[in-house]
Amino acid sequence: MSDLQNRYDFVLFFDVKDGNPNGDPDAGNLPRVDPETGQGLVTDVCLKRKLRNFVLLTKHSVPGYDIFVKEKAILNDAIDAAYAAAGIKLDGEDGGKGKAGKKRERGEGEEVDRARKEMCRRYYDIRAFGAVLSTGKNAGQVRGPVQLTFGRSVDPVVTLEHSITRMAVTTAADAEKLGGDNRTMGRKNTIPYGLYRAHGFVSPALAQQTGFTHEDLDLLWNGIENMFEHDRSAARGLMAMRRLVVFKHSTALGDAPAHRLFEAVSAHRRDANRPSREFTDYELAIDRGRIPPTVEILERGA
């Protein structure tokens, strides 16, 4: 059971310098860009991946904080384990009732509910983001209380292509073709600088269904603040979480529409006549006069 009683909406700002924050595999791994506006994009799936990795890193040995969608995971095996932990036996399994010699491979009714609760108890990302759990023995579907939007850059971004060299080859045959020079060429695509903005939501009503608690919520805020600190790579350049603005409503239903709260948060370049290359080139502001007095504003980050 969740102890969450308040609705939360939040805005997060992060930036990238000389890197590719989220490559598009359908476009040669180029940085994702809105073709009509030129603004850079980072998918919600990309952000959730970094949050999942942070939870694995910090809570890897704590019961109830495993991650369902992780590298090399076999999802149906996790559902099978939840059925076993909940003591659910399907027809034809050891101790299960057989029907006309046929094995019933999927749970039904109350079995699905029990398995879904067990999956929510075990996996943080299911409690938070939800999941489709009907691919195997069937633990139903979970709509998570935490939802994120795409990140979109405040201004249009420029994508650069760089030639890079490797002073080695893969095979002896490649070396022979190159006459012993062993120099190969490659490409690398980056964005010189981009400040991105994304939005998120926390629903206490859905938290009641998954068991997402205040402890889980604190881990979410901590993960958002630190998700780039443990996700370094040469391709991503310098990425940093710059500001997290959280709107805490006084009730579960909320005191104002989320879009009105988001519209009160703005980011503008200090000098529109020169390209931005640092976070200090921007000014972030909150128009507090547009925020209802019953909504508490919590700011985290630089």
Side-chain angles (χ1 to χ4, degrees), residues 217-265:
L217 183 64
D218 289 339
L219 180 58
L220 174 69
W221 302 144
N222 192 21
I224 290 175
E225 288 186 279
N226 294 284
M227 62 182 173
F228 298 117
E229 297 303 312
H230 307 283
D231 188 59
R232 305 296 184 189
S233 78
R236 282 187 279 279
L238 181 60
M239 295 190 69
M241 178 57 59
R242 291 299 186 171
R243 187 73 56 84
L244 173 62
V245 180
V246 180
F247 297 102
K248 180 180 179 181
H249 297 256
S250 65
T251 67
L253 292 178
D255 305 300
H259 70 274
R260 292 186 183 175
L261 301 178
F262 296 154
E263 288 169 355
V265 182

Side-chain angles (χ1 to χ4, degrees), residues 62-102:
V62 180
Y65 286 90
D66 199 357
I67 293 298
F68 180 57
V69 182
K70 59 186 175 184
E71 187 176 3
K72 298 181 181 180
I74 301 175
L75 303 184
N76 283 358
D77 285 356
I79 298 174
D80 291 348
Y83 261 71
I88 305 170
K89 297 183 182 297
L90 300 182
D91 298 342
E93 295 183 328
D94 184 26
K97 297 179 180 180
K99 292 184 179 180
K102 294 183 179 179

